[in-house]
Each structure stands twice: as C-alpha cells, then as structure tokens.
C-alpha cells in the first residue's frame, strides 16, 4: 500500500524537497520538532528498516552527512539528532522507512510535544536555503 511519502515522491502531494537522487529524497517535516527538521526517505517503500536489504540501508545512511551539513549550515544549528522508528509501538506513524534529522540549538530547549507548524511559504523558503547549502 502506498504511503504519503510515495505520493510526495511521485509528486501527487506537496513535499518541500531539500535533496533528491535516484534512490532517495529528503524533505522538510511539515510538523517539525525543531527548525529544519527533515526526513530522509528511500524511494522504494519498506515498512521497517529490517525489511530492507543491508546494502540499501547502508546507501540510505551514507546520505546523512551531506544532508546534515547542508541543514546545519542553512539553519545555524549547533548539533543534530537522528531518529528512525519501526512499528506502531515505536511511534512510526507512516509505514515507509524514514530517518528524522533534527537540528538542535544551544539557545533553546526543545519540547517534543510542542511543535511550531510553519506555513508552506516558510517551508518553501527554508527548503531552498538548505538545497543551496547542500549543493554548494
């Protein structure tokens, strides 16, 4: 069954793309835990990371440094966290493997349950800024 991520990959739904290659996309999270929160997603749908072949897991995670460096540069974040949930009990909402890349800031304390929901314009502008930092 297709997920919202499949629809974003196939451009049936809006996604604020920060990175794309033949096997992966990275988009801004519409409900960010913190400014610049992004998702790295394989284009091929797997529900859990344990469903993926090892080489595809390695390939997915090999993209993280390049994407993180662009996010950190664009957002002036001080650090970052990674999260990857598998199954409902782990709070995986969308049944399509994805890695959360969450910028962290020394100047503020992030409260996971309080999310500031940016507008589409804000997401679009931030996505462009991050893309420019990844590409350069």
């Amino acid at each position: 069954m297709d997920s919202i991520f499949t629809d974003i990959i196939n451009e049936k739904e809006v996604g604020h793309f920060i990175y794309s290659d033949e096997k992966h996309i990275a988009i801004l999270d519409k409900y960010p835990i913190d400014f610049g929160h992004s998702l790295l997603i394989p284009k091929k749908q797997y529900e859990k990371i344990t469903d993926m072949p090892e080489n595809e897991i390695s390939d997915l995670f090999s993209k993280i440094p390049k994407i993180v460096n662009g996010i950190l540069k664009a957002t002036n974040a001080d650090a970052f966290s990674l999260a990857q949930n598998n199954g409902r009990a782990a709070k995986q909402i969308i049944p399509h493997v994805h890695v959360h890349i969450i910028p962290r800031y020394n100047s503020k304390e992030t409260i996971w349950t309080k999310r500031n929901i940016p507008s589409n314009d804000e997401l679009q502008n931030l996505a462009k800024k991050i893309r420019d930092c990844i590409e350069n």
Side-chain angles (χ1 to χ4, degrees):
M1 176 172 37
D2 287 349
S3 72
I4 184 71
F5 293 155
T6 305
D7 289 342
I8 292 170
I9 291 163
N10 293 323
E11 299 182 8
K12 294 179 184 175
E13 292 286 335
V14 174
H16 299 283
F17 290 79
I18 63 169
Y19 176 83
S20 182
D21 65 26
E22 62 188 39
K23 296 180 184 177
H24 311 93
I25 64 163
I27 59 174
L28 290 174
D29 194 307
K30 287 186 178 182
Y31 308 102
I33 291 171
D34 223 329
F35 182 68
H37 179 174
S38 301
L39 306 172
L40 174 59
I41 307 163
K43 289 182 178 178
K44 186 173 180 181
Q45 185 173 346
Y46 296 99
E47 182 175 350
K48 298 175 184 166
I49 203 163
T50 52
D51 299 332
M52 294 177 70
E54 285 183 19
N55 65 314
E56 290 183 36
I57 296 168
S58 297
D59 193 27
L60 175 70
F61 277 82
S62 75
K63 307 303 176 191
I64 290 173
K66 179 178 186 172
I67 295 167
V68 165
N69 286 329
I71 292 169
L72 294 176
K73 185 176 179 182
T75 63
N76 292 314
D78 299 297
F80 67 96
S81 296
L82 297 176
Q84 203 285 310
N85 306 321
N86 294 276
R88 285 191 167 281
K91 308 298 185 218
Q92 180 183 14
I93 297 167
I94 298 171
H96 189 136
V97 168
H98 56 287
V99 179
H100 294 263
I101 302 169
I102 307 164
R104 301 301 189 171
Y105 303 87
N106 289 327
S107 61
K108 65 183 196 176
E109 184 176 324
T110 300
I111 301 172
W112 285 56
T113 56
K114 291 186 178 184
R115 297 186 184 202
N116 178 24
I117 311 302
S119 70
N120 275 332
D121 285 344
E122 290 171 314
L123 289 169
Q124 186 175 23
N125 291 336
L126 180 56
K128 183 186 180 324
K129 187 174 181 181
I130 293 170
R131 274 194 314 273
D132 289 347
C133 289
I134 289 172
E135 292 170 3
N136 295 325

